[in-house]
Amino acid sequence: MRFDMPKNTKHQEVNQSAGTEAKVPCTSCKVETTHKVRASVDIRGEDWFDGNSIEYWVSHQIIECGGCETVTFRTINTHSEDYDLGPEGMKLNETVALFPSRNEGRSLAKDSHLLPAKVHRIYAETINAMNNGQPVLTGIGIRALVETICKDRSAAGSNLMTQIDSLVTLGVLTPAGAAILHKLRTLGNVAAHEAKPHAAQQLGLAMDVCEHLLQGVYILPHHAKKTFG
Ligand SMILES: [Zn+2]
């Protein structure tokens, strides 16, 4: 008897998950809202390797915010090898990607044109990396931004750690801000040396701190000089 190797299979269905709802962060409402799937392409398949198979499911969805009707795109990936064992048994993990990415739409801070050219370039590229869902590059960019500010203000110290502290001495950074930047410094180290991506939320917070620093170091002094002479 001849043994036939099982064949890889792939099935595609249109709008299988249309009409379903899920809580998703909205790009416009800026909070998690109920989104409805308006259209979808749902794929399920099975790939065989050496007599074992992996099953996978991919759902590509056009989703609409129930609050403001903003339409975006979501992809959910699941496969039979990625699961957690909980009290209710095996639960498949879902990898969800949202387009535009939910950090997206982050625009350059007001008056950023007042920044020195080299600072502006790093800042703009880092925002770009963040908006394009590149967490490793964003982490490295944030570190480069802090380093450049330190250099630009001739912050004393032989390493980034002592330089951040001297920004406090220079009066451009609060001790609380410095504490956060020290965490960023570690973040950047991890990103640069281990190529480990950071959570979007961490990076968003890190960028908030950087923007406060840019305000305090470059933008506010410029306005103060113009206003008070
Ligand atoms: Zn919305």
Side-chain angles (χ1 to χ4, degrees):
M1 192 167 70
R2 206 177 127 248
F3 179 73
D4 282 327
M5 284 294 290
K7 284 202 171 66
N8 292 350
T9 58
K10 184 174 172 183
H11 300 282
Q12 182 179 298
E13 202 166 318
V14 173
N15 287 338
Q16 192 181 25
S17 50
T20 60
E21 291 183 339
K23 288 273 192 191
V24 176
C26 172
T27 51
S28 177
C29 298
K30 305 293 180 197
V31 291
E32 218 170 66
T33 60
T34 302
H35 282 62
K36 189 177 231 167
V37 177
R38 298 303 307 264
S40 71
V41 173
D42 301 279
I43 296 161
R44 72 187 155 84
E46 192 171 21
D47 282 354
W48 286 87
F49 308 91
D50 295 331
N52 295 306
S53 76
I54 292 179
E55 283 180 275
Y56 63 89
W57 300 265
V58 187
S59 184
H60 302 285
Q61 307 171 337
I62 294 172
I63 57 174
E64 183 186 71
C65 171
C68 70
E69 299 181 342
T70 294
V71 174
T72 54
F73 191 80
R74 175 169 78 151
T75 293
I76 306 170
N77 273 283
T78 323
H79 65 83
S80 56
E81 306 308 296
D82 184 10
Y83 58 86
D84 282 332
L85 284 172
E88 285 125 49
M90 196 175 101
K91 190 179 170 293
L92 292 172
N93 290 320
E94 290 182 339
T95 303
V96 179
L98 296 164
F99 306 93
S101 107
R102 288 336 191 217
N103 259 332
E104 178 134 3
R106 184 158 187 145
S107 42
L108 294 176
K110 190 170 166 276
D111 293 334
S112 67
H113 62 277
L114 298 173
L115 297 171
K118 64 184 174 193
V119 176
H120 188 273
R121 177 184 294 164
I122 297 171
Y123 172 53
E125 284 195 12
T126 306
I127 290 280
N128 243 338
M130 179 175 265
N131 285 345
N132 284 301
Q134 298 172 310
V136 173
L137 292 181
T138 305
I140 293 168
I142 286 169
R143 185 189 158 100
L145 203 50
V146 174
E147 278 172 342
T148 307
I149 295 167
C150 286
K151 210 181 212 174
D152 212 27
R153 297 308 300 246
S154 307
S158 56
N159 57 49
L160 191 56
M161 189 174 193
T162 49
Q163 284 173 342
I164 288 170
D165 288 333
S166 85
L167 288 177
V168 179
T169 316
L170 289 169
V172 293
L173 183 65
T174 63
I180 295 169
L181 284 189
H182 281 310
K183 283 185 184 146
L184 296 194
R185 196 177 53 79
T186 323
L187 270 179
N189 269 334
V190 173
H193 302 303
E194 295 178 21
K196 189 179 163 213
H198 312 295
Q201 267 178 332
Q202 283 178 334
L203 291 172
L205 181 67
M207 186 50 88
D208 289 344
V209 176
C210 278
E211 286 178 341
H212 279 114
L213 190 60
L214 294 174
Q215 277 277 328
V217 172
Y218 303 106
I219 296 169
L220 291 179
H222 175 93
H223 287 308
K225 207 172 165 190
K226 243 176 79 184
T227 308
F228 302 110

